[in-house]
Amino acid sequence: AAKFDSALHDRGWGKRTIQITKLIDDAPVMKVRGHEIDMFKGGSKDRVYPGIGVEMEWNNKDPFFDRDLSNFAALHREGVVALGVIVTRGAGLQSWLRFYVDGGNSKYGASTTWWDKLVPRVNLGGGGECPLLLVGIETERMEPHIALASP
């Protein structure tokens, strides 16, 4: 995850906390809590919003997907993000990690963030109207020096 964030940071992406304030006749009437985005890039140098938000959920508890999808829905509705991206472990990589790395323990357990925990949430409307790009990293995308075999 750190290598992924670093690669995006080198290309102008960065962590962003978005504060939204509602105004009526230039007077603030409501301030919405901050929405933190792991990686954000503005739409253009002339117009920051809407931009693209990226969240990598590599090995958190699966409710983090609910948080990310809710944030993307709210930020899209407010015109902050045009696209929400979630990157996580694919089903094949999840199986590989459980078998070869975790030995069946709970570090990469079924209740952590991985593809099969994300897709049902999206299919039930998670993310609202926000267009989403979902990326499930599979074993074929791991660094070449790692010998990968199917469990």
Side-chain angles (χ1 to χ4, degrees), residues 51-84:
I52 298 174
V54 177
E55 297 286 350
M56 175 175 263
E57 297 299 351
W58 190 250
N59 199 32
N60 282 320
K61 294 295 181 188
D62 65 344
F64 277 77
F65 283 143
D66 297 321
R67 178 205 64 188
D68 295 341
L69 292 167
S70 176
N71 277 345
F72 283 148
L75 293 171
H76 179 72
R77 188 173 47 254
E78 297 297 334
V80 175
V81 296
L83 177 69

PDB file of all heavy atoms in Angstrom, residues 51-84:
ATOM      1  N   GLY A  51     -12.597  16.060  -8.968  1.00  0.00           N
ATOM      2  CA  GLY A  51     -11.362  15.318  -9.179  1.00  0.00           C
ATOM      3  C   GLY A  51     -11.616  13.827  -9.058  1.00  0.00           C
ATOM      4  O   GLY A  51     -12.753  13.363  -9.173  1.00  0.00           O
ATOM      5  N   ILE A  52     -10.545  13.099  -8.809  1.00  0.00           N
ATOM      6  CA  ILE A  52     -10.621  11.648  -8.656  1.00  0.00           C
ATOM      7  C   ILE A  52     -10.099  11.282  -7.282  1.00  0.00           C
ATOM      8  O   ILE A  52      -9.040  11.762  -6.864  1.00  0.00           O
ATOM      9  CB  ILE A  52      -9.795  10.929  -9.747  1.00  0.00           C
ATOM     10  CG1 ILE A  52     -10.343  11.258 -11.127  1.00  0.00           C
ATOM     11  CG2 ILE A  52      -9.787   9.418  -9.512  1.00  0.00           C
ATOM     12  CD1 ILE A  52      -9.510  10.717 -12.268  1.00  0.00           C
ATOM     13  N   GLY A  53     -10.845  10.446  -6.576  1.00  0.00           N
ATOM     14  CA  GLY A  53     -10.432   9.965  -5.265  1.00  0.00           C
ATOM     15  C   GLY A  53     -10.067   8.496  -5.348  1.00  0.00           C
ATOM     16  O   GLY A  53     -10.750   7.718  -6.011  1.00  0.00           O
ATOM     17  N   VAL A  54      -8.977   8.121  -4.688  1.00  0.00           N
ATOM     18  CA  VAL A  54      -8.513   6.731  -4.678  1.00  0.00           C
ATOM     19  C   VAL A  54      -8.345   6.276  -3.232  1.00  0.00           C
ATOM     20  O   VAL A  54      -7.698   6.950  -2.433  1.00  0.00           O
ATOM     21  CB  VAL A  54      -7.170   6.572  -5.420  1.00  0.00           C
ATOM     22  CG1 VAL A  54      -6.675   5.126  -5.338  1.00  0.00           C
ATOM     23  CG2 VAL A  54      -7.282   7.011  -6.866  1.00  0.00           C
ATOM     24  N   GLU A  55      -8.917   5.143  -2.941  1.00  0.00           N
ATOM     25  CA  GLU A  55      -8.748   4.500  -1.636  1.00  0.00           C
ATOM     26  C   GLU A  55      -8.178   3.112  -1.858  1.00  0.00           C
ATOM     27  O   GLU A  55      -8.710   2.348  -2.668  1.00  0.00           O
ATOM     28  CB  GLU A  55     -10.086   4.377  -0.902  1.00  0.00           C
ATOM     29  CG  GLU A  55     -10.737   5.689  -0.562  1.00  0.00           C
ATOM     30  CD  GLU A  55     -10.061   6.415   0.598  1.00  0.00           C
ATOM     31  OE1 GLU A  55      -9.195   5.821   1.270  1.00  0.00           O
ATOM     32  OE2 GLU A  55     -10.408   7.579   0.809  1.00  0.00           O
ATOM     33  N   MET A  56      -7.087   2.786  -1.179  1.00  0.00           N
ATOM     34  CA  MET A  56      -6.564   1.423  -1.213  1.00  0.00           C
ATOM     35  C   MET A  56      -6.923   0.772   0.115  1.00  0.00           C
ATOM     36  O   MET A  56      -6.563   1.268   1.170  1.00  0.00           O
ATOM     37  CB  MET A  56      -5.063   1.362  -1.420  1.00  0.00           C
ATOM     38  CG  MET A  56      -4.578  -0.084  -1.330  1.00  0.00           C
ATOM     39  SD  MET A  56      -2.859  -0.308  -1.698  1.00  0.00           S
ATOM     40  CE  MET A  56      -2.999  -0.791  -3.406  1.00  0.00           C
ATOM     41  N   GLU A  57      -7.652  -0.299   0.018  1.00  0.00           N
ATOM     42  CA  GLU A  57      -8.014  -1.081   1.200  1.00  0.00           C
ATOM     43  C   GLU A  57      -7.338  -2.435   1.061  1.00  0.00           C
ATOM     44  O   GLU A  57      -7.842  -3.342   0.414  1.00  0.00           O
ATOM     45  CB  GLU A  57      -9.531  -1.224   1.336  1.00  0.00           C
ATOM     46  CG  GLU A  57     -10.257   0.077   1.545  1.00  0.00           C
ATOM     47  CD  GLU A  57      -9.856   0.824   2.818  1.00  0.00           C
ATOM     48  OE1 GLU A  57      -9.118   0.259   3.663  1.00  0.00           O
ATOM     49  OE2 GLU A  57     -10.256   1.987   2.960  1.00  0.00           O
ATOM     50  N   TRP A  58      -6.158  -2.543   1.642  1.00  0.00           N
ATOM     51  CA  TRP A  58      -5.351  -3.739   1.457  1.00  0.00           C
ATOM     52  C   TRP A  58      -5.627  -4.790   2.514  1.00  0.00           C
ATOM     53  O   TRP A  58      -5.738  -5.964   2.225  1.00  0.00           O
ATOM     54  CB  TRP A  58      -3.868  -3.372   1.436  1.00  0.00           C
ATOM     55  CG  TRP A  58      -3.021  -4.508   1.013  1.00  0.00           C
ATOM     56  CD1 TRP A  58      -2.166  -5.223   1.797  1.00  0.00           C
ATOM     57  CD2 TRP A  58      -2.971  -5.101  -0.284  1.00  0.00           C
ATOM     58  NE1 TRP A  58      -1.574  -6.221   1.064  1.00  0.00           N
ATOM     59  CE2 TRP A  58      -2.057  -6.160  -0.232  1.00  0.00           C
ATOM     60  CE3 TRP A  58      -3.621  -4.834  -1.492  1.00  0.00           C
ATOM     61  CZ2 TRP A  58      -1.755  -6.952  -1.325  1.00  0.00           C
ATOM     62  CZ3 TRP A  58      -3.322  -5.621  -2.584  1.00  0.00           C
ATOM     63  CH2 TRP A  58      -2.404  -6.666  -2.495  1.00  0.00           C
ATOM     64  N   ASN A  59      -5.727  -4.370   3.775  1.00  0.00           N
ATOM     65  CA  ASN A  59      -5.934  -5.356   4.830  1.00  0.00           C
ATOM     66  C   ASN A  59      -6.566  -4.712   6.055  1.00  0.00           C
ATOM     67  O   ASN A  59      -6.063  -4.818   7.156  1.00  0.00           O
ATOM     68  CB  ASN A  59      -4.613  -6.041   5.200  1.00  0.00           C
ATOM     69  CG  ASN A  59      -4.850  -7.347   5.936  1.00  0.00           C
ATOM     70  OD1 ASN A  59      -5.830  -8.033   5.687  1.00  0.00           O
ATOM     71  ND2 ASN A  59      -3.969  -7.683   6.850  1.00  0.00           N
ATOM     72  N   ASN A  60      -7.671  -4.008   5.837  1.00  0.00           N
ATOM     73  CA  ASN A  60      -8.450  -3.443   6.928  1.00  0.00           C
ATOM     74  C   ASN A  60      -9.650  -4.336   7.207  1.00  0.00           C
ATOM     75  O   ASN A  60      -9.915  -5.289   6.476  1.00  0.00           O
ATOM     76  CB  ASN A  60      -8.957  -2.043   6.558  1.00  0.00           C
ATOM     77  CG  ASN A  60      -7.894  -0.991   6.691  1.00  0.00           C
ATOM     78  OD1 ASN A  60      -7.110  -1.008   7.633  1.00  0.00           O
ATOM     79  ND2 ASN A  60      -7.842  -0.071   5.747  1.00  0.00           N
ATOM     80  N   LYS A  61     -10.407  -3.994   8.205  1.00  0.00           N
ATOM     81  CA  LYS A  61     -11.682  -4.688   8.436  1.00  0.00           C
ATOM     82  C   LYS A  61     -12.651  -4.235   7.350  1.00  0.00           C
ATOM     83  O   LYS A  61     -12.629  -3.095   6.913  1.00  0.00           O
ATOM     84  CB  LYS A  61     -12.241  -4.363   9.828  1.00  0.00           C
ATOM     85  CG  LYS A  61     -11.360  -4.898  10.947  1.00  0.00           C
ATOM     86  CD  LYS A  61     -11.341  -6.414  10.915  1.00  0.00           C
ATOM     87  CE  LYS A  61     -10.489  -6.976  12.036  1.00  0.00           C
ATOM     88  NZ  LYS A  61     -10.299  -8.406  11.914  1.00  0.00           N
ATOM     89  N   ASP A  62     -13.514  -5.146   6.911  1.00  0.00           N
ATOM     90  CA  ASP A  62     -14.356  -4.846   5.749  1.00  0.00           C
ATOM     91  C   ASP A  62     -15.319  -3.672   5.904  1.00  0.00           C
ATOM     92  O   ASP A  62     -15.702  -3.077   4.904  1.00  0.00           O
ATOM     93  CB  ASP A  62     -15.058  -6.096   5.225  1.00  0.00           C
ATOM     94  CG  ASP A  62     -16.052  -6.709   6.180  1.00  0.00           C
ATOM     95  OD1 ASP A  62     -16.029  -6.378   7.376  1.00  0.00           O
ATOM     96  OD2 ASP A  62     -16.841  -7.547   5.723  1.00  0.00           O
ATOM     97  N   PRO A  63     -15.703  -3.199   7.111  1.00  0.00           N
ATOM     98  CA  PRO A  63     -16.529  -1.986   7.178  1.00  0.00           C
ATOM     99  C   PRO A  63     -15.844  -0.738   6.601  1.00  0.00           C
ATOM    100  O   PRO A  63     -16.520   0.248   6.316  1.00  0.00           O
ATOM    101  CB  PRO A  63     -16.817  -1.818   8.676  1.00  0.00           C
ATOM    102  CG  PRO A  63     -16.773  -3.218   9.212  1.00  0.00           C
ATOM    103  CD  PRO A  63     -15.658  -3.878   8.433  1.00  0.00           C
ATOM    104  N   PHE A  64     -14.523  -0.781   6.400  1.00  0.00           N
ATOM    105  CA  PHE A  64     -13.859   0.355   5.767  1.00  0.00           C
ATOM    106  C   PHE A  64     -14.402   0.579   4.352  1.00  0.00           C
ATOM    107  O   PHE A  64     -14.410   1.710   3.865  1.00  0.00           O
ATOM    108  CB  PHE A  64     -12.337   0.159   5.736  1.00  0.00           C
ATOM    109  CG  PHE A  64     -11.677   0.547   7.025  1.00  0.00           C
ATOM    110  CD1 PHE A  64     -11.738  -0.291   8.133  1.00  0.00           C
ATOM    111  CD2 PHE A  64     -11.014   1.755   7.130  1.00  0.00           C
ATOM    112  CE1 PHE A  64     -11.130   0.070   9.321  1.00  0.00           C
ATOM    113  CE2 PHE A  64     -10.406   2.128   8.323  1.00  0.00           C
ATOM    114  CZ  PHE A  64     -10.467   1.270   9.426  1.00  0.00           C
ATOM    115  N   PHE A  65     -14.853  -0.486   3.685  1.00  0.00           N
ATOM    116  CA  PHE A  65     -15.473  -0.314   2.373  1.00  0.00           C
ATOM    117  C   PHE A  65     -16.729   0.548   2.482  1.00  0.00           C
ATOM    118  O   PHE A  65     -16.988   1.391   1.629  1.00  0.00           O
ATOM    119  CB  PHE A  65     -15.835  -1.660   1.747  1.00  0.00           C
ATOM    120  CG  PHE A  65     -14.677  -2.423   1.169  1.00  0.00           C
ATOM    121  CD1 PHE A  65     -14.640  -3.802   1.285  1.00  0.00           C
ATOM    122  CD2 PHE A  65     -13.652  -1.788   0.473  1.00  0.00           C
ATOM    123  CE1 PHE A  65     -13.592  -4.528   0.733  1.00  0.00           C
ATOM    124  CE2 PHE A  65     -12.607  -2.507  -0.075  1.00  0.00           C
ATOM    125  CZ  PHE A  65     -12.575  -3.889   0.053  1.00  0.00           C
ATOM    126  N   ASP A  66     -17.526   0.323   3.526  1.00  0.00           N
ATOM    127  CA  ASP A  66     -18.743   1.111   3.721  1.00  0.00           C
ATOM    128  C   ASP A  66     -18.400   2.592   3.875  1.00  0.00           C
ATOM    129  O   ASP A  66     -19.057   3.455   3.287  1.00  0.00           O
ATOM    130  CB  ASP A  66     -19.517   0.632   4.954  1.00  0.00           C
ATOM    131  CG  ASP A  66     -19.998  -0.802   4.807  1.00  0.00           C
ATOM    132  OD1 ASP A  66     -20.419  -1.180   3.699  1.00  0.00           O
ATOM    133  OD2 ASP A  66     -19.943  -1.541   5.807  1.00  0.00           O
ATOM    134  N   ARG A  67     -17.355   2.882   4.656  1.00  0.00           N
ATOM    135  CA  ARG A  67     -16.908   4.261   4.837  1.00  0.00           C
ATOM    136  C   ARG A  67     -16.489   4.883   3.506  1.00  0.00           C
ATOM    137  O   ARG A  67     -16.897   5.990   3.166  1.00  0.00           O
ATOM    138  CB  ARG A  67     -15.738   4.298   5.822  1.00  0.00           C
ATOM    139  CG  ARG A  67     -15.171   5.694   6.037  1.00  0.00           C
ATOM    140  CD  ARG A  67     -13.738   5.690   6.471  1.00  0.00           C
ATOM    141  NE  ARG A  67     -12.895   5.119   5.429  1.00  0.00           N
ATOM    142  CZ  ARG A  67     -11.614   4.846   5.583  1.00  0.00           C
ATOM    143  NH1 ARG A  67     -11.016   5.067   6.728  1.00  0.00           N
ATOM    144  NH2 ARG A  67     -10.913   4.334   4.588  1.00  0.00           N
ATOM    145  N   ASP A  68     -15.665   4.160   2.743  1.00  0.00           N
ATOM    146  CA  ASP A  68     -15.180   4.679   1.467  1.00  0.00           C
ATOM    147  C   ASP A  68     -16.327   4.939   0.501  1.00  0.00           C
ATOM    148  O   ASP A  68     -16.387   5.988  -0.142  1.00  0.00           O
ATOM    149  CB  ASP A  68     -14.193   3.708   0.821  1.00  0.00           C
ATOM    150  CG  ASP A  68     -12.916   3.532   1.626  1.00  0.00           C
ATOM    151  OD1 ASP A  68     -12.613   4.387   2.480  1.00  0.00           O
ATOM    152  OD2 ASP A  68     -12.232   2.515   1.400  1.00  0.00           O
ATOM    153  N   LEU A  69     -17.236   3.981   0.382  1.00  0.00           N
ATOM    154  CA  LEU A  69     -18.361   4.130  -0.545  1.00  0.00           C
ATOM    155  C   LEU A  69     -19.279   5.269  -0.126  1.00  0.00           C
ATOM    156  O   LEU A  69     -19.762   6.030  -0.974  1.00  0.00           O
ATOM    157  CB  LEU A  69     -19.128   2.810  -0.657  1.00  0.00           C
ATOM    158  CG  LEU A  69     -18.363   1.671  -1.334  1.00  0.00           C
ATOM    159  CD1 LEU A  69     -19.058   0.336  -1.118  1.00  0.00           C
ATOM    160  CD2 LEU A  69     -18.162   1.959  -2.810  1.00  0.00           C
ATOM    161  N   SER A  70     -19.504   5.415   1.174  1.00  0.00           N
ATOM    162  CA  SER A  70     -20.328   6.511   1.678  1.00  0.00           C
ATOM    163  C   SER A  70     -19.664   7.859   1.389  1.00  0.00           C
ATOM    164  O   SER A  70     -20.331   8.815   0.950  1.00  0.00           O
ATOM    165  CB  SER A  70     -20.546   6.335   3.182  1.00  0.00           C
ATOM    166  OG  SER A  70     -21.257   7.412   3.707  1.00  0.00           O
ATOM    167  N   ASN A  71     -18.353   7.941   1.613  1.00  0.00           N
ATOM    168  CA  ASN A  71     -17.630   9.184   1.316  1.00  0.00           C
ATOM    169  C   ASN A  71     -17.686   9.518  -0.164  1.00  0.00           C
ATOM    170  O   ASN A  71     -17.922  10.673  -0.536  1.00  0.00           O
ATOM    171  CB  ASN A  71     -16.169   9.089   1.768  1.00  0.00           C
ATOM    172  CG  ASN A  71     -15.997   9.397   3.238  1.00  0.00           C
ATOM    173  OD1 ASN A  71     -16.876   9.949   3.885  1.00  0.00           O
ATOM    174  ND2 ASN A  71     -14.857   9.015   3.769  1.00  0.00           N
ATOM    175  N   PHE A  72     -17.473   8.530  -1.023  1.00  0.00           N
ATOM    176  CA  PHE A  72     -17.529   8.787  -2.461  1.00  0.00           C
ATOM    177  C   PHE A  72     -18.917   9.274  -2.874  1.00  0.00           C
ATOM    178  O   PHE A  72     -19.043  10.199  -3.678  1.00  0.00           O
ATOM    179  CB  PHE A  72     -17.130   7.555  -3.275  1.00  0.00           C
ATOM    180  CG  PHE A  72     -15.649   7.298  -3.313  1.00  0.00           C
ATOM    181  CD1 PHE A  72     -15.168   6.001  -3.395  1.00  0.00           C
ATOM    182  CD2 PHE A  72     -14.727   8.331  -3.291  1.00  0.00           C
ATOM    183  CE1 PHE A  72     -13.806   5.742  -3.444  1.00  0.00           C
ATOM    184  CE2 PHE A  72     -13.359   8.092  -3.339  1.00  0.00           C
ATOM    185  CZ  PHE A  72     -12.898   6.787  -3.415  1.00  0.00           C
ATOM    186  N   ALA A  73     -19.959   8.657  -2.328  1.00  0.00           N
ATOM    187  CA  ALA A  73     -21.329   9.081  -2.659  1.00  0.00           C
ATOM    188  C   ALA A  73     -21.546  10.533  -2.249  1.00  0.00           C
ATOM    189  O   ALA A  73     -22.063  11.342  -3.030  1.00  0.00           O
ATOM    190  CB  ALA A  73     -22.346   8.165  -1.982  1.00  0.00           C
ATOM    191  N   ALA A  74     -21.155  10.891  -1.024  1.00  0.00           N
ATOM    192  CA  ALA A  74     -21.362  12.247  -0.525  1.00  0.00           C
ATOM    193  C   ALA A  74     -20.518  13.253  -1.313  1.00  0.00           C
ATOM    194  O   ALA A  74     -21.005  14.329  -1.686  1.00  0.00           O
ATOM    195  CB  ALA A  74     -21.008  12.322   0.960  1.00  0.00           C
ATOM    196  N   LEU A  75     -19.272  12.916  -1.582  1.00  0.00           N
ATOM    197  CA  LEU A  75     -18.386  13.843  -2.289  1.00  0.00           C
ATOM    198  C   LEU A  75     -18.791  14.010  -3.755  1.00  0.00           C
ATOM    199  O   LEU A  75     -18.641  15.090  -4.322  1.00  0.00           O
ATOM    200  CB  LEU A  75     -16.934  13.384  -2.168  1.00  0.00           C
ATOM    201  CG  LEU A  75     -16.366  13.467  -0.748  1.00  0.00           C
ATOM    202  CD1 LEU A  75     -15.003  12.793  -0.679  1.00  0.00           C
ATOM    203  CD2 LEU A  75     -16.292  14.908  -0.271  1.00  0.00           C
ATOM    204  N   HIS A  76     -19.327  12.960  -4.351  1.00  0.00           N
ATOM    205  CA  HIS A  76     -19.825  13.085  -5.722  1.00  0.00           C
ATOM    206  C   HIS A  76     -21.060  13.989  -5.756  1.00  0.00           C
ATOM    207  O   HIS A  76     -21.188  14.860  -6.616  1.00  0.00           O
ATOM    208  CB  HIS A  76     -20.143  11.702  -6.292  1.00  0.00           C
ATOM    209  CG  HIS A  76     -20.671  11.743  -7.682  1.00  0.00           C
ATOM    210  ND1 HIS A  76     -19.888  12.040  -8.768  1.00  0.00           N
ATOM    211  CD2 HIS A  76     -21.920  11.550  -8.159  1.00  0.00           C
ATOM    212  CE1 HIS A  76     -20.622  12.011  -9.864  1.00  0.00           C
ATOM    213  NE2 HIS A  76     -21.870  11.727  -9.520  1.00  0.00           N
ATOM    214  N   ARG A  77     -21.950  13.779  -4.802  1.00  0.00           N
ATOM    215  CA  ARG A  77     -23.173  14.590  -4.717  1.00  0.00           C
ATOM    216  C   ARG A  77     -22.835  16.076  -4.558  1.00  0.00           C
ATOM    217  O   ARG A  77     -23.527  16.938  -5.086  1.00  0.00           O
ATOM    218  CB  ARG A  77     -24.020  14.087  -3.541  1.00  0.00           C
ATOM    219  CG  ARG A  77     -25.377  14.672  -3.403  1.00  0.00           C
ATOM    220  CD  ARG A  77     -26.234  14.006  -2.310  1.00  0.00           C
ATOM    221  NE  ARG A  77     -25.554  13.817  -1.042  1.00  0.00           N
ATOM    222  CZ  ARG A  77     -25.117  12.630  -0.569  1.00  0.00           C
ATOM    223  NH1 ARG A  77     -25.293  11.533  -1.257  1.00  0.00           N
ATOM    224  NH2 ARG A  77     -24.528  12.554   0.600  1.00  0.00           N
ATOM    225  N   GLU A  78     -21.741  16.384  -3.868  1.00  0.00           N
ATOM    226  CA  GLU A  78     -21.329  17.775  -3.644  1.00  0.00           C
ATOM    227  C   GLU A  78     -20.434  18.319  -4.752  1.00  0.00           C
ATOM    228  O   GLU A  78     -20.002  19.464  -4.686  1.00  0.00           O
ATOM    229  CB  GLU A  78     -20.609  17.902  -2.292  1.00  0.00           C
ATOM    230  CG  GLU A  78     -21.475  17.576  -1.108  1.00  0.00           C
ATOM    231  CD  GLU A  78     -22.657  18.508  -0.936  1.00  0.00           C
ATOM    232  OE1 GLU A  78     -22.583  19.679  -1.387  1.00  0.00           O
ATOM    233  OE2 GLU A  78     -23.666  18.083  -0.359  1.00  0.00           O
ATOM    234  N   GLY A  79     -20.121  17.505  -5.767  1.00  0.00           N
ATOM    235  CA  GLY A  79     -19.318  17.974  -6.884  1.00  0.00           C
ATOM    236  C   GLY A  79     -17.815  17.942  -6.652  1.00  0.00           C
ATOM    237  O   GLY A  79     -17.057  18.579  -7.369  1.00  0.00           O
ATOM    238  N   VAL A  80     -17.368  17.174  -5.657  1.00  0.00           N
ATOM    239  CA  VAL A  80     -15.947  17.113  -5.324  1.00  0.00           C
ATOM    240  C   VAL A  80     -15.232  16.044  -6.148  1.00  0.00           C
ATOM    241  O   VAL A  80     -14.132  16.272  -6.632  1.00  0.00           O
ATOM    242  CB  VAL A  80     -15.746  16.849  -3.815  1.00  0.00           C
ATOM    243  CG1 VAL A  80     -14.274  16.674  -3.475  1.00  0.00           C
ATOM    244  CG2 VAL A  80     -16.375  17.970  -2.991  1.00  0.00           C
ATOM    245  N   VAL A  81     -15.853  14.875  -6.282  1.00  0.00           N
ATOM    246  CA  VAL A  81     -15.226  13.803  -7.061  1.00  0.00           C
ATOM    247  C   VAL A  81     -16.099  13.428  -8.252  1.00  0.00           C
ATOM    248  O   VAL A  81     -17.322  13.365  -8.146  1.00  0.00           O
ATOM    249  CB  VAL A  81     -14.912  12.527  -6.230  1.00  0.00           C
ATOM    250  CG1 VAL A  81     -13.887  12.787  -5.157  1.00  0.00           C
ATOM    251  CG2 VAL A  81     -16.148  11.907  -5.642  1.00  0.00           C
ATOM    252  N   ALA A  82     -15.435  13.216  -9.370  1.00  0.00           N
ATOM    253  CA  ALA A  82     -16.115  12.738 -10.570  1.00  0.00           C
ATOM    254  C   ALA A  82     -16.050  11.220 -10.637  1.00  0.00           C
ATOM    255  O   ALA A  82     -16.874  10.588 -11.290  1.00  0.00           O
ATOM    256  CB  ALA A  82     -15.466  13.336 -11.816  1.00  0.00           C
ATOM    257  N   LEU A  83     -15.048  10.644  -9.963  1.00  0.00           N
ATOM    258  CA  LEU A  83     -14.813   9.204  -9.999  1.00  0.00           C
ATOM    259  C   LEU A  83     -14.185   8.771  -8.695  1.00  0.00           C
ATOM    260  O   LEU A  83     -13.267   9.418  -8.192  1.00  0.00           O
ATOM    261  CB  LEU A  83     -13.868   8.848 -11.155  1.00  0.00           C
ATOM    262  CG  LEU A  83     -13.446   7.383 -11.296  1.00  0.00           C
ATOM    263  CD1 LEU A  83     -14.630   6.521 -11.731  1.00  0.00           C
ATOM    264  CD2 LEU A  83     -12.302   7.252 -12.289  1.00  0.00           C
ATOM    265  N   GLY A  84     -14.696   7.677  -8.139  1.00  0.00           N
ATOM    266  CA  GLY A  84     -14.105   7.063  -6.956  1.00  0.00           C
ATOM    267  C   GLY A  84     -13.452   5.754  -7.354  1.00  0.00           C
ATOM    268  O   GLY A  84     -14.044   4.959  -8.081  1.00  0.00           O
TER     269      GLY A  84
END
